[in-house]
Amino acid sequence: MTARPHGTTETAGGKAPPLAVFFDLDGTLADTAADLVAPVQAMRAERGLAPMPFEELRPYASMGARGLLLKGLGVEREAAQFDALRDEFLQRYEAAMNVHTCLFPGMAEVLDALDGAAIRWGVVSNKIERLVGPILESLGVLGRAVCAIGGDTTGFAKPHPEPLLHGARIAGVEAEGCVYVGDDLRDILAGRAANMRTVAAAYGFCGKDSPPHSWGADALVREPLELVSLLGLPRREGGRGKGEGENRT
């Protein structure tokens, strides 16, 4: 990673691995798009609207209900009907949020490499906290994560740095020794504000507003396995946790 004036930890070249690594959930640790898109498609069907192409909705999955309702139903956050539609969306999503959700290919190996190097890792998401834990449990990684922080855990949501700082406190490490990986501009803004090193996950949802290379992250990865060398971790074969294509029950 390129050095930044406010950071002190070198995370490439094997000099000094990070004290902890934190991941965004949707679009970074796990591919949750299919389960996030499904409620909007069902809501469209109930209203007599045709399904939208999945690839049109996928970039908005990182924005959760707000983005998907905007793209899928044309309803903005300020609209009078937004709260009721958001509640309907969340009810539908919570009832079937682990049907297709899986770790991105290669992410299980990244987590194994972190565990093998005794580097703590956790999840800091803008998703409602009550949903974060069950998703990680379904993925088979909850017991290994040092934290499972949601957008309502601290009273602040990203791009505010407090959720990340809270994660560092739970991990018992200094924020400037940590790395945050995310697939949205707000992730990078939050990481920088928390004085953490930042990695843009270009393989994720990434939104439609700006390309990942323009976010000002310290590094960019196009697949999860690139994190292994970027963080100076030894490669471990085979990964624990539910990956792409595995069934959920």
Side-chain angles (χ1 to χ4, degrees):
M1 291 183 182
T2 303
R4 294 212 332 246
H6 67 267
T8 58
T9 301
E10 176 65 51
T11 56
K15 287 186 180 180
L19 301 177
V21 177
F22 299 101
F23 299 90
D24 176 47
L25 177 54
D26 299 298
T28 300
L29 186 82
D31 188 350
T32 57
D35 289 334
L36 282 165
V37 165
V40 173
Q41 299 285 38
M43 292 167 75
R44 285 180 60 87
E46 280 198 354
R47 290 158 176 81
L49 301 172
M52 291 185 66
F54 174 77
E55 289 304 321
E56 287 188 21
L57 289 168
R58 184 181 185 272
Y60 294 85
S62 186
M63 300 169 63
R66 176 170 58 90
L68 289 166
L69 290 175
L70 174 62
K71 182 63 176 177
L73 293 175
V75 177
E76 297 185 350
R77 192 173 191 171
E78 296 77 17
Q81 67 269 41
F82 177 82
D83 286 348
L85 289 172
R86 179 190 58 197
D87 290 345
E88 179 183 349
F89 174 92
L90 290 174
Q91 184 177 24
R92 290 176 180 273
Y93 176 62
E94 193 167 359
M97 63 185 182
N98 291 310
V99 177
H100 302 290
T101 289
C102 58
L103 295 175
F104 275 104
M107 186 55 74
E109 289 82 357
V110 173
L111 299 183
D112 277 357
L114 288 169
D115 287 343
I119 296 173
R120 295 181 176 185
W121 63 268
V123 170
V124 182
S125 172
N126 267 4
K127 210 179 201 76
I128 299 171
E129 182 183 5
R130 74 170 189 270
L131 305 182
V132 177
I135 291 174
L136 295 182
E137 184 174 20
S138 175
L139 293 171
V141 299
L142 179 61
R144 299 161 60 190
V146 71
C147 64
I149 295 170
D152 57 341
T153 300
T154 68
F156 297 96
K158 299 173 295 182
H160 198 284
E162 180 55 27
L164 297 183
L165 296 173
H166 184 56
R169 288 193 294 268
I170 293 173
V173 297
E174 296 295 327
E176 57 264 29
C178 300
V179 171
Y180 187 58
V181 188
D183 71 312
D184 193 275
L185 173 59
R186 66 172 174 264
D187 297 322
I188 306 308
L189 294 175
R192 291 179 67 90
N195 210 29
M196 293 184 180
R197 296 283 177 159
T198 56
V199 179
Y203 58 84
F205 305 152
C206 297
K208 286 286 190 181
D209 294 335
S210 59
H213 65 77
S214 71
W215 297 346
D218 292 300
L220 180 148
V221 294
R222 299 195 177 278
E223 60 179 357
L225 276 176
E226 291 179 18
L227 288 166
V228 174
S229 59
L230 184 69
L231 299 174
L233 303 173
R235 179 78 177 267
R236 294 168 65 89
E237 297 300 326
R240 295 175 292 158
K242 294 181 180 178
E244 183 181 30
E246 294 190 32
N247 293 328
R248 301 286 182 271
T249 57

